[in-house]
């Protein structure tokens, strides 16, 4: 185990080579890292492939906040969560991939909830173009009638 | 170019979609083929159901108007908003008058109509299933009163939905052949009542007779309450004492199909009225003390007598008609409890401040009963999905072929007189 560092600190290395010094308590919020630490196959530095420095910094920020405020009021944490996940689609997807890959449950929960809120009130048209990558002409030409039928209200 | 959802791993997509309410899910079924097969899969339906139960989301209140001007109409209120009561129509025709809304289980409602017939209905997906007719066995020259009671439940052992029907047969002939005596025989006279119990299973789509009801039912305290895989009925184990008899609760386990008694809280007092209810999957007892108030006891751990705890005490001075309070559900943060009050309104009880707050809903009926129903995708084909689907597509193909023949024959019929007419000319 990482006994050489004071106070059980771990070093996480992102895919583009940047290093972050993180307390072990925070790092083990990711189950993947926790397993590595428990199996004692981790040296001082733990490589985190597929996750770049930007995203890793965000994930660490989230974990730190959650670790600190465990005793604090849950409502504060909730507002922090909703502000934290309120980002563009690009960053959101990167975060989701990182959270899923590293198995950070709280973060994944908050992110999935956010995406669910995003797509909740949208029409099938909208979903297809914005989230599923259909082209507009595809929809208009190939199955126009089908789409009208899909969009009918279920009330 | 923005990045798209399918780039995410499939388990994350499942995770995201399982957080949506039923209505958008039904719409997004049509968004793409992978989504459609995902949303239709039994695993996803179960995951969505469990998440809704855990997060207490997707709840709605189904109101049944006692003095409805139009038959077969119910109202639905979104539990998160509690603002407007929408009119909804159960899948019954004019001949099949809605009799009563029984309990709900995993988003399915059990409605009864006619003489001992029932229908299962998922109001969120609008799918319904009429249960096969099975008449209660009565003597040929039966004269008396027959009451049918229903309860719907889920049997986790065999992964099946079951409906229990208790037929309460009040046979006047047993008193005497004399008409005058028959009239005198009270409807609640226990000596002339017997019971027949049948259980319907959704997987086999058939009714089956099970062991007779061992005690005498108390109809006014509660009807089939579903807790912990068992349906609960209030009974009077010593019927000869008539009123003020010691009340008890009997459970019918849907898994093993056996009866067992449920222990009630011991509170020392004697002079109270009882009422049973279900709150957040826990069994509740309401003790009403005349001119004092109401106690609400909750059995936190099912089947453990020591886990009965007094959750709420409401004084009579705080609310009128305290005897008609009926707990429905916790609020999302778990700090309040919603009550139905006097069959006319709703009110929140704050567990911390111990205050009562009335709730007004637009368009609520004057006098109603309430059932809490979850929004779910639970299908009503009882896991017979694959066969029936294949069969349905086959049938459709056959129908198409037949229709085309019909079309040809009709055409030839139309042509014949024309041709004949031409010949005549």
């Amino acid at each position: 185990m990482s006994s050489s560092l004071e106070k059980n600190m771990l070093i996480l290395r992102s895919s583009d080579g940047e290093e972050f010094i993180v307390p072990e308590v925070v790092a083990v919020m990711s189950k993947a890292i926790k397993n590595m630490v428990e199996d004692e196959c981790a040296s001082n530095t733990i490589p985190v492939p597929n996750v770049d420095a930007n995203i890793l910094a965000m994930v660490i920020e989230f974990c730190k906040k959650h670790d600190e405020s465990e005793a604090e009021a849950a409502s504060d944490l909730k507002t922090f969560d909703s502000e934290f996940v309120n980002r563009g689609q690009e960053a959101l997807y990167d975060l989701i991939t990182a959270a899923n890959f590293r198995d950070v449950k709280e973060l994944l929960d908050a992110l999935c909830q956010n995406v669910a809120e995003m797509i909740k009130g949208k029409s099938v048209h909208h979903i297809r173009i914005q989230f599923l990558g259909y082209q507009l002409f595809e929809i208009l030409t190939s199955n126009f009638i089908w789409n009208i039928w899909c969009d009918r209200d279920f009330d | 170019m923005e990045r798209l959802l399918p780039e995410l791993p499939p388990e994350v997509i499942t995770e995201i979609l399982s957080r949506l309410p039923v209505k958008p899910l039904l719409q997004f079924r049509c968004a793409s083929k992978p989504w459609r097969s995902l949303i239709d899969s039994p695993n996803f339906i179960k995951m969505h159901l469990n998440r809704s139960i855990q997060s207490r989301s997707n709840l709605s209140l189904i109101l049944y108007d006692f003095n409805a001007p139009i038959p077969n109409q119910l109202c639905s209120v979104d539990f998160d908003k509690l603002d407007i009561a929408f009119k909804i129509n159960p899948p019954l025709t004019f001949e099949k008058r809605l009799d009563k809304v029984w309990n709900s289980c995993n988003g399915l409602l059990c409605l009864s109509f006619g003489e001992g017939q029932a229908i299962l209905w998922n109001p969120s997906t609008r799918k319904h299933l009429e249960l096969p007719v099975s008449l209660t066995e009565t003597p040929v020259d039966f004269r008396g009163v027959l009451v049918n009671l229903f309860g719907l439940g889920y049997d986790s052992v065999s992964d099946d939905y079951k409906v229990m029907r208790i037929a309460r047969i009040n046979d006047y002939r047993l008193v005497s052949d004399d008409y005058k005596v028959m009239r005198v025989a009270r409807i609640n006279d226990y000596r002339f009542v017997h019971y027949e119990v049948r259980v319907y299973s959704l997987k086999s789509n058939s009714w089956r007779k099970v062991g007779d009801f061992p005690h005498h039912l108390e109809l006014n305290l509660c009807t089939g309450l579903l807790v912990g895989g068992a349906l609960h009925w209030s009974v009077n184990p010593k019927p000869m004492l008539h009123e003020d008899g010691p009340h008890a609760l009997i459970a019918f386990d849907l898994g093993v199909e056996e009866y067992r008694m449920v222990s009630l809280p011991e509170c020392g007092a004697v002079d109270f009225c009882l009422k049973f209810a279900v709150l957040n999957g826990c069994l509740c007892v309401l003790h009403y003390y005349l001119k004092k108030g109401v106690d609400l006891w909750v059995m936190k751990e099912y089947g453990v007598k020591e886990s009965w705890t007094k959750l709420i005490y409401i004084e009579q001075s705080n609310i009128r008609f305290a005897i008609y309070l009926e707990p429905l559900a916790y609020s999302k943060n778990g700090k309040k409890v919603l009550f139905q009050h006097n069959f006319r309104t709703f009110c929140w009880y704050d567990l911390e401040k111990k205050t009562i707050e009335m709730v007004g809903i637009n368009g609520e009926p004057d006098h109603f009963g309430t059932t809490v129903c979850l929004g779910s995708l639970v299908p009503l084909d009882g896991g017979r999905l694959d066969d029936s689907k294949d069969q349905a597509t086959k049938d459709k193909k056959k129908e198409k072929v037949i229709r085309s023949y019909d079309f040809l024959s009709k055409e030839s019929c139309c042509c014949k007189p024309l041709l004949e007419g031409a010949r005549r000319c």
Side-chain angles (χ1 to χ4, degrees), chain B residues 303-356:
Chain B
V304 181
K305 196 185 177 188
E306 289 72 37
S307 72
W308 277 109
T309 39
K310 193 151 96 178
L311 186 71
I312 296 173
Y313 174 68
I314 302 175
E315 271 187 46
Q316 178 81 28
S317 55
N318 287 341
I319 191 160
R320 292 173 69 207
F321 307 116
I323 192 169
Y324 297 124
L325 282 170
E326 205 173 294
L328 295 174
Y330 283 99
S331 66
K332 230 175 188 180
N333 56 15
K335 286 178 185 165
K336 291 181 190 172
V337 179
L338 186 72
F339 282 90
Q340 179 197 289
H341 178 227
N342 197 16
F343 302 103
R344 282 168 205 281
T345 45
F346 295 107
C347 59
W348 283 111
Y349 180 83
D350 198 312
L351 290 172
E352 284 172 358
K353 293 179 204 155
K354 314 213 162 165
T355 50
I356 294 171

Side-chain angles (χ1 to χ4, degrees), chain B residues 18-90:
Chain B
S18 72
R19 282 154 204 271
L20 291 172
V22 177
K23 195 178 143 185
L25 278 178
L26 290 177
Q27 286 174 333
F28 295 166
R29 265 178 91 235
C30 316
S32 75
K33 276 192 179 165
W35 278 30
R36 187 195 170 102
S37 52
L38 171 70
I39 293 170
D40 283 347
S41 69
N43 283 342
F44 178 79
I45 291 173
K46 263 183 204 155
M47 186 177 170
H48 181 257
L49 181 69
N50 290 339
R51 190 171 294 281
S52 309
I53 293 171
Q54 272 171 16
S55 63
R56 293 192 198 127
S57 50
N58 294 339
L59 279 178
S60 61
L61 306 174
I62 304 290
L63 312 185
Y64 171 57
D65 193 348
F66 292 137
N67 336 317
I70 308 162
N72 296 349
Q73 199 169 50
L74 299 172
C75 292
S76 158
V77 183
D78 189 344
F79 182 74
D80 294 340
K81 293 174 191 157
L82 283 182
D83 48 358
I84 303 169
F86 294 102
K87 297 262 187 302
I88 52 172
N89 291 314

Side-chain angles (χ1 to χ4, degrees), chain B residues 2-191:
Chain B
E2 290 198 53
R3 291 175 61 199
L4 307 165
L5 274 181
E7 287 175 35
L8 295 175
E11 66 266 22
V12 176
I13 302 267
T14 320
E15 192 76 15
I16 291 169
L17 289 183
S18 72
R19 282 154 204 271
L20 291 172
V22 177
K23 195 178 143 185
L25 278 178
L26 290 177
Q27 286 174 333
F28 295 166
R29 265 178 91 235
C30 316
S32 75
K33 276 192 179 165
W35 278 30
R36 187 195 170 102
S37 52
L38 171 70
I39 293 170
D40 283 347
S41 69
N43 283 342
F44 178 79
I45 291 173
K46 263 183 204 155
M47 186 177 170
H48 181 257
L49 181 69
N50 290 339
R51 190 171 294 281
S52 309
I53 293 171
Q54 272 171 16
S55 63
R56 293 192 198 127
S57 50
N58 294 339
L59 279 178
S60 61
L61 306 174
I62 304 290
L63 312 185
Y64 171 57
D65 193 348
F66 292 137
N67 336 317
I70 308 162
N72 296 349
Q73 199 169 50
L74 299 172
C75 292
S76 158
V77 183
D78 189 344
F79 182 74
D80 294 340
K81 293 174 191 157
L82 283 182
D83 48 358
I84 303 169
F86 294 102
K87 297 262 187 302
I88 52 172
N89 291 314
L92 291 168
T93 54
F94 189 72
E95 294 86 46
K96 296 171 182 168
R97 286 281 183 107
L98 176 65
D99 183 27
K100 191 175 155 107
V101 180
W102 300 92
N103 65 338
S104 108
C105 170
N106 292 352
L108 303 180
L109 277 174
C110 179
L111 316 175
S112 68
F113 67 93
E115 286 193 7
Q117 281 176 276
I119 195 163
L120 293 182
W121 180 39
N122 186 336
S124 330
T125 60
R126 310 246 161 142
K127 294 272 161 56
H128 72 274
L129 178 78
E130 207 176 304
L131 306 191
V133 182
S134 96
L135 294 175
T136 310
E137 287 168 14
T138 48
V140 185
D141 54 344
F142 169 70
R143 273 178 287 171
V145 180
L146 178 70
V147 182
N148 283 298
L149 306 155
F150 293 87
L152 167 69
Y154 176 66
D155 172 16
S156 54
V157 179
S158 59
D159 185 25
D160 194 3
Y161 287 89
K162 286 181 176 173
V163 178
M164 177 187 186
R165 187 183 77 181
I166 303 177
R168 185 179 188 273
I169 305 159
N170 205 330
D171 201 346
Y172 290 167
R173 285 179 319 130
L174 296 179
V175 190
S176 154
D177 279 339
D178 189 2
Y179 181 67
K180 274 181 194 165
V181 181
M182 270 158 46
R183 264 180 66 189
V184 174
R186 280 174 31 184
I187 195 165
N188 279 333
D189 206 332
Y190 292 105
R191 282 168 293 170

